[in-house]
Amino acid sequence: TTMTEVRQGVDAIDRLLVAVLAERQRYMDAAARIKPHRGAVRDDARIEEVAAKVKASAREAGLSEAIAEPVWRTLIERCIAYKLEAFDRR
C-alpha cells in the first residue's frame, strides 16, 4: 500500500530474476561447449521459436507481450553474444 512496500517487492523480484538469469547463463555455457562450430551459435529458427513460446507464456501469465517480447529478444541477443565469447574461449 506504500511506495516503500512496492519498491521492496520490486527489489525482491529483481533478486529472483538475477538468480534465474544466472541459471540461464549456465545453460548458455553448456550450449557453447556443445555446439559443433561457431556458426551454429546463432539459430534464427530457434530465436523465433523462443519468442513465440515467450509470448504465449506472457499471455497466460497476464504479462504484456509489449514488455515480454522486446525483453526476451534483447536477452536472446545478449545470450548469443555471450555464447560467442564462451565459444571463442574454449
Side-chain angles (χ1 to χ4, degrees):
T1 59
T2 68
M3 281 308 299
T4 298
E5 290 172 337
V6 169
R7 289 177 178 150
Q8 288 172 344
V10 169
D11 291 347
I13 296 295
D14 287 345
R15 286 189 298 274
L16 288 172
L17 287 170
V18 167
V20 171
L21 289 171
E23 183 176 352
R24 192 180 201 280
Q25 180 178 295
R26 289 188 286 279
Y27 282 103
M28 298 303 102
D29 290 327
R33 284 191 310 272
I34 294 167
K35 298 254 179 168
H37 54 84
R38 195 175 198 278
V41 170
R42 181 178 196 83
D43 182 343
D44 290 330
R46 175 66 177 150
I47 291 168
E48 294 310 313
E49 177 186 342
V50 170
K53 288 178 181 180
V54 164
K55 289 192 293 186
S57 292
R59 283 190 298 273
E60 291 172 12
L63 173 61
S64 167
E65 288 181 45
I67 293 173
E69 184 175 14
V71 167
W72 256 266
R73 287 195 182 272
T74 299
L75 176 62
I76 290 165
E77 290 302 322
R78 295 310 313 144
C79 286
I80 289 168
Y82 178 85
K83 280 189 290 188
L84 288 168
E85 292 171 6
F87 188 88
D88 289 346
R89 281 193 305 269
R90 62 177 205 162

